[in-house]
Amino acid sequence: MQNHPSRAAIVAGILLTAVGATVPASAVTQSKAAAKTSPPARIVNARWAGHCTYDRLVVDVRGTAPAVTVKPVQTPRYDPSGKKVPLTGKYFLEIRLSPAVAHDSAGKSVYQGPRLVKIQLPKLKGLALTGDFEGVVNFATAFQTKPTYKVFKLHSPERVVLDFSHANSCG
């Protein structure tokens, strides 16, 4: 018996080709233009709180919450200068939000949160706004012990949340 494509597969291929061919080029161009002109997320605040088994850092956003990347760093640095951030700790995380800004179209800061602060929670010991440059907003966090964390987004209002787990402090 020979292996031939089924009629259903052939018809599906023809339909998919026909549907794809009916999208006007102007719609694709408009879609790309809209993506380029939509304003980036504006980072307006950072706040924190301690809970029984985790410390929470919340970054408040105007617009749609941007992509978030978190990575350990040996020494936190200000972007773009490269100067060392004076946070006290043994472990540091860099939190990168992009595309995002912490200023308005005139260059005036819209960020109302702390620029550099010592924090006395079970896990989180410090926070710094380390950059607002070329569509990227960076924060650095400090810890005395190696952090474990989870990152997620909450909506209405938009915010990026990082939970840093620790032993139960309520028991």
Side-chain angles (χ1 to χ4, degrees):
M1 183 170 164
Q2 293 182 347
N3 194 1
H4 293 289
S6 70
R7 285 187 183 161
I10 294 170
V11 170
I14 292 169
L15 285 174
L16 287 172
T17 303
V19 169
T22 61
V23 176
S26 62
V28 174
T29 304
Q30 288 171 354
S31 175
K32 286 181 182 178
K36 289 181 183 176
T37 60
S38 62
R42 295 198 191 281
I43 307 305
V44 296
N45 194 20
R47 52 199 167 89
W48 54 92
H51 300 275
C52 289
T53 57
Y54 62 95
D55 295 341
R56 176 167 284 180
L57 173 64
V58 177
V59 178
D60 295 319
V61 178
R62 279 195 209 131
T64 302
V68 182
T69 306
V70 180
K71 70 176 185 176
V73 294
Q74 288 291 321
T75 304
R77 303 225 174 246
Y78 286 108
D79 182 28
S81 73
K83 292 182 181 177
K84 184 178 177 183
V85 177
L87 282 173
T88 303
K90 294 180 181 175
Y91 299 90
F92 305 96
L93 294 176
E94 176 187 83
I95 303 162
R96 177 184 169 103
L97 301 108
S98 177
V101 296
H103 60 275
D104 62 20
S105 57
K108 183 180 178 217
S109 179
V110 296
Y111 178 72
Q112 304 293 314
R115 304 271 171 178
L116 178 64
V117 63
K118 188 175 184 177
I119 299 171
Q120 294 300 323
L121 291 175
K123 193 69 171 183
L124 182 62
K125 300 300 182 185
L127 173 71
L129 174 68
T130 59
D132 175 17
F133 186 66
E134 294 185 344
V136 177
V137 174
N138 286 318
F139 289 92
T141 52
F143 308 88
Q144 288 302 325
T145 58
K146 190 173 183 177
T148 56
Y149 58 89
K150 68 178 181 176
V151 181
F152 54 98
K153 297 175 187 178
L154 295 174
H155 310 286
S156 297
E158 291 290 306
R159 54 218 187 274
V160 172
V161 179
L162 291 93
D163 284 348
F164 307 102
S165 62
H166 58 74
N168 190 336
S169 60
C170 296

